[in-house]
Short mmCIF file of all heavy atoms in Angstrom, two decimals:
data_model
loop_
_atom_site.label_atom_id
_atom_site.label_comp_id
_atom_site.label_asym_id
_atom_site.label_seq_id
_atom_site.Cartn_x
_atom_site.Cartn_y
_atom_site.Cartn_z
N THR A 1 1.08 21.17 38.77
CA THR A 1 0.32 20.13 37.81
C THR A 1 1.00 18.88 37.64
O THR A 1 0.36 17.69 37.78
CB THR A 1 0.10 20.80 36.46
OG1 THR A 1 -0.71 21.99 36.68
CG2 THR A 1 -0.68 19.84 35.56
N GLY A 2 2.28 18.82 37.61
CA GLY A 2 3.11 17.62 37.30
C GLY A 2 3.09 16.74 38.59
O GLY A 2 3.38 15.52 38.56
N ASP A 3 2.83 17.27 39.73
CA ASP A 3 2.86 16.56 41.11
C ASP A 3 1.49 16.03 41.40
O ASP A 3 1.36 15.19 42.19
CB ASP A 3 3.45 17.37 42.20
CG ASP A 3 4.93 17.47 42.29
OD1 ASP A 3 5.56 16.67 41.44
OD2 ASP A 3 5.44 18.09 43.09
N ASP A 4 0.50 16.68 40.87
CA ASP A 4 -0.93 16.39 41.18
C ASP A 4 -1.36 15.13 40.54
O ASP A 4 -2.07 15.16 39.53
CB ASP A 4 -1.81 17.54 40.93
CG ASP A 4 -3.26 17.41 41.29
OD1 ASP A 4 -3.66 16.27 41.87
OD2 ASP A 4 -4.01 18.37 41.21
N ASN A 5 -0.98 13.91 41.12
CA ASN A 5 -1.49 12.67 40.63
C ASN A 5 -1.47 11.60 41.72
O ASN A 5 -0.77 11.80 42.76
CB ASN A 5 -0.71 12.22 39.33
CG ASN A 5 0.80 12.00 39.76
OD1 ASN A 5 1.23 11.07 40.45
ND2 ASN A 5 1.65 12.97 39.21
N THR A 6 -2.05 10.45 41.55
CA THR A 6 -2.27 9.52 42.69
C THR A 6 -1.00 8.75 43.00
O THR A 6 -0.83 8.25 44.08
CB THR A 6 -3.38 8.49 42.26
OG1 THR A 6 -3.02 7.92 41.01
CG2 THR A 6 -4.68 9.13 42.24
N SER A 7 0.05 8.82 42.09
CA SER A 7 1.40 8.28 42.56
C SER A 7 2.04 9.05 43.67
O SER A 7 2.82 8.45 44.44
CB SER A 7 2.33 8.11 41.39
OG SER A 7 2.79 9.35 41.02
N ASN A 8 1.64 10.34 43.71
CA ASN A 8 2.06 11.22 44.87
C ASN A 8 1.20 11.28 46.06
O ASN A 8 1.47 11.36 47.14
CB ASN A 8 2.51 12.63 44.34
CG ASN A 8 3.62 12.54 43.48
OD1 ASN A 8 4.70 11.90 43.71
ND2 ASN A 8 3.65 13.44 42.50
N THR A 9 -0.15 11.41 45.73
CA THR A 9 -1.16 11.59 46.74
C THR A 9 -2.48 10.97 46.21
O THR A 9 -2.94 11.32 45.11
CB THR A 9 -1.47 13.02 47.10
OG1 THR A 9 -2.56 13.11 47.85
CG2 THR A 9 -1.61 13.89 45.90
N LEU A 10 -3.12 10.16 47.11
CA LEU A 10 -4.42 9.56 46.71
C LEU A 10 -5.52 10.55 46.90
O LEU A 10 -6.69 10.32 46.54
CB LEU A 10 -4.71 8.42 47.70
CG LEU A 10 -3.84 7.18 47.66
CD1 LEU A 10 -4.43 5.97 48.56
CD2 LEU A 10 -3.41 6.79 46.36
N MET A 11 -5.13 11.86 47.33
CA MET A 11 -6.17 12.87 47.36
C MET A 11 -6.34 13.56 46.08
O MET A 11 -7.29 14.45 45.84
CB MET A 11 -5.81 13.92 48.45
CG MET A 11 -5.54 13.29 49.77
SD MET A 11 -6.62 12.15 50.42
CE MET A 11 -8.12 13.21 50.58
N SER A 12 -5.48 13.10 45.12
CA SER A 12 -5.62 13.80 43.74
C SER A 12 -6.73 13.12 42.92
O SER A 12 -7.14 11.92 43.20
CB SER A 12 -4.20 13.46 42.91
OG SER A 12 -4.25 13.90 41.60
N TYR A 13 -7.21 13.79 41.85
CA TYR A 13 -8.28 13.18 40.91
C TYR A 13 -7.66 12.77 39.66
O TYR A 13 -8.23 12.30 38.84
CB TYR A 13 -9.20 14.37 40.62
CG TYR A 13 -10.37 14.51 41.69
CD1 TYR A 13 -10.27 13.76 42.82
CD2 TYR A 13 -11.49 15.18 41.37
CE1 TYR A 13 -11.41 14.02 43.78
CE2 TYR A 13 -12.54 15.38 42.27
CZ TYR A 13 -12.45 14.82 43.42
OH TYR A 13 -13.48 14.90 44.36
N THR A 14 -6.28 12.85 39.58
CA THR A 14 -5.53 12.41 38.32
C THR A 14 -4.89 11.10 38.62
O THR A 14 -3.94 11.09 39.34
CB THR A 14 -4.47 13.61 37.93
OG1 THR A 14 -5.10 14.68 37.61
CG2 THR A 14 -3.78 13.00 36.64
N SER A 15 -5.35 10.05 37.99
CA SER A 15 -4.79 8.76 38.16
C SER A 15 -3.43 8.52 37.49
O SER A 15 -3.31 8.90 36.38
CB SER A 15 -5.74 7.60 37.79
OG SER A 15 -6.91 7.71 38.50
N GLN A 16 -2.54 8.02 38.19
CA GLN A 16 -1.28 7.53 37.69
C GLN A 16 -0.78 6.37 38.36
O GLN A 16 -0.43 6.37 39.54
CB GLN A 16 -0.16 8.68 37.82
CG GLN A 16 1.11 8.31 37.17
CD GLN A 16 2.15 9.52 37.07
OE1 GLN A 16 1.73 10.52 36.54
NE2 GLN A 16 3.42 9.31 37.57
N GLY A 17 -0.80 5.16 37.65
CA GLY A 17 -0.51 3.83 38.28
C GLY A 17 -1.76 3.41 39.10
O GLY A 17 -2.93 3.91 38.93
N GLY A 18 -1.59 2.60 40.10
CA GLY A 18 -2.64 2.04 40.90
C GLY A 18 -3.44 1.04 40.18
O GLY A 18 -3.11 0.49 39.13
N PRO A 19 -4.57 0.61 40.84
CA PRO A 19 -5.07 1.14 42.00
C PRO A 19 -4.14 0.85 43.29
O PRO A 19 -3.44 -0.19 43.27
CB PRO A 19 -6.48 0.36 42.32
CG PRO A 19 -6.77 -0.12 41.02
CD PRO A 19 -5.51 -0.40 40.26
N TYR A 20 -4.11 1.76 44.19
CA TYR A 20 -3.19 1.66 45.39
C TYR A 20 -3.82 1.02 46.55
O TYR A 20 -5.00 1.35 46.82
CB TYR A 20 -2.59 3.07 45.69
CG TYR A 20 -1.65 3.61 44.59
CD1 TYR A 20 -2.25 4.54 43.54
CD2 TYR A 20 -0.44 3.24 44.47
CE1 TYR A 20 -1.54 5.02 42.55
CE2 TYR A 20 0.40 3.71 43.45
CZ TYR A 20 -0.16 4.64 42.47
OH TYR A 20 0.64 5.10 41.52
N SER A 21 -3.01 0.37 47.33
CA SER A 21 -3.54 -0.38 48.50
C SER A 21 -3.12 0.41 49.85
O SER A 21 -3.40 -0.15 50.90
CB SER A 21 -3.16 -1.83 48.54
OG SER A 21 -3.74 -2.42 47.38
N THR A 22 -2.31 1.37 49.73
CA THR A 22 -1.93 2.22 50.79
C THR A 22 -1.67 3.63 50.34
O THR A 22 -1.77 3.99 49.21
CB THR A 22 -0.61 1.66 51.51
OG1 THR A 22 -0.39 2.31 52.70
CG2 THR A 22 0.52 1.90 50.54
N PHE A 23 -1.45 4.53 51.26
CA PHE A 23 -1.37 5.95 50.99
C PHE A 23 -0.01 6.22 50.26
O PHE A 23 0.89 5.54 50.30
CB PHE A 23 -1.35 6.79 52.22
CG PHE A 23 -2.82 6.84 52.81
CD1 PHE A 23 -3.14 6.01 53.82
CD2 PHE A 23 -3.76 7.78 52.31
CE1 PHE A 23 -4.43 5.99 54.37
CE2 PHE A 23 -4.94 7.83 52.82
CZ PHE A 23 -5.47 6.92 53.74
N SER A 24 -0.10 7.22 49.38
CA SER A 24 1.12 7.64 48.69
C SER A 24 2.03 8.58 49.41
O SER A 24 1.63 9.05 50.49
CB SER A 24 0.65 8.40 47.33
OG SER A 24 -0.04 7.35 46.45
N PRO A 25 3.31 8.87 48.98
CA PRO A 25 4.22 9.49 49.70
C PRO A 25 3.81 10.84 50.28
O PRO A 25 4.19 11.22 51.38
CB PRO A 25 5.47 9.63 48.81
CG PRO A 25 5.35 8.45 47.94
CD PRO A 25 3.82 8.27 47.63
N TYR A 26 3.17 11.73 49.52
CA TYR A 26 2.74 12.98 49.96
C TYR A 26 1.73 12.91 51.06
O TYR A 26 1.63 13.69 52.01
CB TYR A 26 2.29 13.92 48.88
CG TYR A 26 3.38 14.34 47.76
CD1 TYR A 26 4.57 13.83 47.83
CD2 TYR A 26 3.01 15.16 46.77
CE1 TYR A 26 5.59 14.26 46.91
CE2 TYR A 26 3.85 15.58 45.84
CZ TYR A 26 5.21 15.05 45.91
OH TYR A 26 6.08 15.44 44.96
N ASP A 27 0.88 11.97 50.89
CA ASP A 27 -0.17 11.67 52.06
C ASP A 27 0.50 11.40 53.29
O ASP A 27 0.06 11.89 54.33
CB ASP A 27 -1.07 10.51 51.67
CG ASP A 27 -1.76 10.66 50.32
OD1 ASP A 27 -2.25 11.75 49.92
OD2 ASP A 27 -1.86 9.63 49.47
N ILE A 28 1.50 10.44 53.31
CA ILE A 28 2.22 10.09 54.46
C ILE A 28 2.87 11.26 55.03
O ILE A 28 2.91 11.50 56.33
CB ILE A 28 3.07 8.97 54.15
CG1 ILE A 28 2.39 7.63 53.79
CG2 ILE A 28 4.07 8.69 55.39
CD1 ILE A 28 3.15 6.58 53.24
N ALA A 29 3.49 12.05 54.19
CA ALA A 29 4.29 13.27 54.69
C ALA A 29 3.26 14.29 55.44
O ALA A 29 3.61 14.72 56.54
CB ALA A 29 4.90 14.09 53.47
N ALA A 30 1.99 14.36 54.91
CA ALA A 30 1.05 15.22 55.50
C ALA A 30 0.60 14.67 56.86
O ALA A 30 0.36 15.42 57.82
CB ALA A 30 -0.10 15.56 54.54
N LEU A 31 0.28 13.37 56.76
CA LEU A 31 -0.14 12.64 58.04
C LEU A 31 0.97 12.71 59.11
O LEU A 31 0.67 12.81 60.33
CB LEU A 31 -0.58 11.24 57.72
CG LEU A 31 -1.75 11.14 56.87
CD1 LEU A 31 -2.06 9.68 56.42
CD2 LEU A 31 -3.05 11.66 57.62
N ASN A 32 2.24 12.63 58.74
CA ASN A 32 3.41 12.77 59.70
C ASN A 32 3.33 14.15 60.20
O ASN A 32 3.54 14.29 61.56
CB ASN A 32 4.63 12.48 58.96
CG ASN A 32 4.93 11.03 58.59
OD1 ASN A 32 4.38 10.19 59.23
ND2 ASN A 32 5.93 10.68 57.78
N TRP A 33 3.14 15.15 59.40
CA TRP A 33 3.07 16.51 59.90
C TRP A 33 1.89 16.70 60.94
O TRP A 33 2.11 17.35 62.10
CB TRP A 33 2.81 17.48 58.81
CG TRP A 33 2.71 18.89 59.23
CD1 TRP A 33 1.50 19.65 59.32
CD2 TRP A 33 3.73 19.84 59.76
NE1 TRP A 33 1.85 20.95 59.69
CE2 TRP A 33 3.11 21.04 59.93
CE3 TRP A 33 5.07 19.68 59.88
CZ2 TRP A 33 3.79 22.21 60.41
CZ3 TRP A 33 5.83 20.74 60.32
CH2 TRP A 33 5.17 22.06 60.70
N LEU A 34 0.73 16.15 60.70
CA LEU A 34 -0.38 16.34 61.56
C LEU A 34 -0.35 15.56 62.87
O LEU A 34 -0.61 16.00 63.96
CB LEU A 34 -1.65 15.91 60.72
CG LEU A 34 -2.22 16.92 59.63
CD1 LEU A 34 -3.36 16.19 58.96
CD2 LEU A 34 -2.51 18.16 60.28
N TYR A 35 0.13 14.28 62.67
CA TYR A 35 0.07 13.33 63.86
C TYR A 35 1.38 12.75 64.42
O TYR A 35 1.47 12.12 65.42
CB TYR A 35 -0.81 12.17 63.50
CG TYR A 35 -2.20 12.53 63.03
CD1 TYR A 35 -2.55 12.60 61.68
CD2 TYR A 35 -3.05 13.08 64.00
CE1 TYR A 35 -3.90 13.05 61.28
CE2 TYR A 35 -4.31 13.50 63.62
CZ TYR A 35 -4.83 13.52 62.22
OH TYR A 35 -6.06 13.99 61.93
N GLY A 36 2.50 13.04 63.62
CA GLY A 36 3.79 12.81 64.07
C GLY A 36 4.20 11.30 64.23
O GLY A 36 5.29 10.98 64.73
N GLY A 37 3.26 10.44 63.70
CA GLY A 37 3.60 9.02 63.72
C GLY A 37 3.42 8.36 65.16
O GLY A 37 3.64 7.07 65.18
N ASP A 38 3.18 9.21 66.09
CA ASP A 38 3.05 8.61 67.53
C ASP A 38 1.68 8.97 68.08
O ASP A 38 1.51 8.93 69.37
CB ASP A 38 4.16 9.19 68.37
CG ASP A 38 4.13 10.69 68.47
OD1 ASP A 38 3.36 11.28 67.88
OD2 ASP A 38 4.99 11.22 69.22
N GLY A 39 0.68 9.20 67.22
CA GLY A 39 -0.68 9.17 67.68
C GLY A 39 -1.16 10.61 68.06
O GLY A 39 -0.35 11.60 67.84
N LEU A 40 -2.29 10.65 68.59
CA LEU A 40 -2.91 11.98 69.06
C LEU A 40 -2.17 12.55 70.42
O LEU A 40 -2.02 11.77 71.34
CB LEU A 40 -4.35 11.89 69.39
CG LEU A 40 -5.23 11.22 68.25
CD1 LEU A 40 -6.72 11.01 68.63
CD2 LEU A 40 -5.20 12.20 66.98
N ARG A 41 -1.70 13.71 70.26
CA ARG A 41 -1.03 14.43 71.37
C ARG A 41 0.26 13.51 71.89
O ARG A 41 0.42 13.41 73.09
CB ARG A 41 -1.92 14.65 72.54
CG ARG A 41 -3.08 15.53 72.14
CD ARG A 41 -3.96 15.89 73.29
NE ARG A 41 -5.06 16.65 72.81
CZ ARG A 41 -6.24 16.87 73.48
NH1 ARG A 41 -6.33 16.57 74.73
NH2 ARG A 41 -7.23 17.58 73.02
N GLY A 42 0.96 12.97 70.97
CA GLY A 42 2.15 12.36 71.38
C GLY A 42 3.26 13.39 71.44
O GLY A 42 3.09 14.50 71.75
N ALA A 43 4.51 13.02 71.28
CA ALA A 43 5.70 13.89 71.38
C ALA A 43 5.87 14.77 70.11
O ALA A 43 6.44 15.77 70.05
CB ALA A 43 6.97 13.07 71.66
#
């Protein structure tokens, strides 16, 4: 519950700060896991 807010992830429904113009840290961590920062089917 304490982590579920928009300062950590824009996928949250609980606003904290913002409005944000880029993704929050947990979003970036999840996107890094999925895509590796080097695109589709990179290394």
Side-chain angles (χ1 to χ4, degrees):
T1 301
D3 276 357
D4 185 356
N5 60 72
T6 56
S7 72
N8 288 321
T9 169
L10 298 192
M11 308 313 293
S12 176
Y13 276 11
T14 302
S15 294
Q16 182 170 304
Y20 294 96
S21 299
T22 189
F23 288 95
S24 293
Y26 292 3
D27 305 319
I28 294 172
L31 292 171
N32 285 344
W33 174 256
L34 290 172
Y35 302 106
D38 59 359
L40 304 175
R41 298 183 190 171

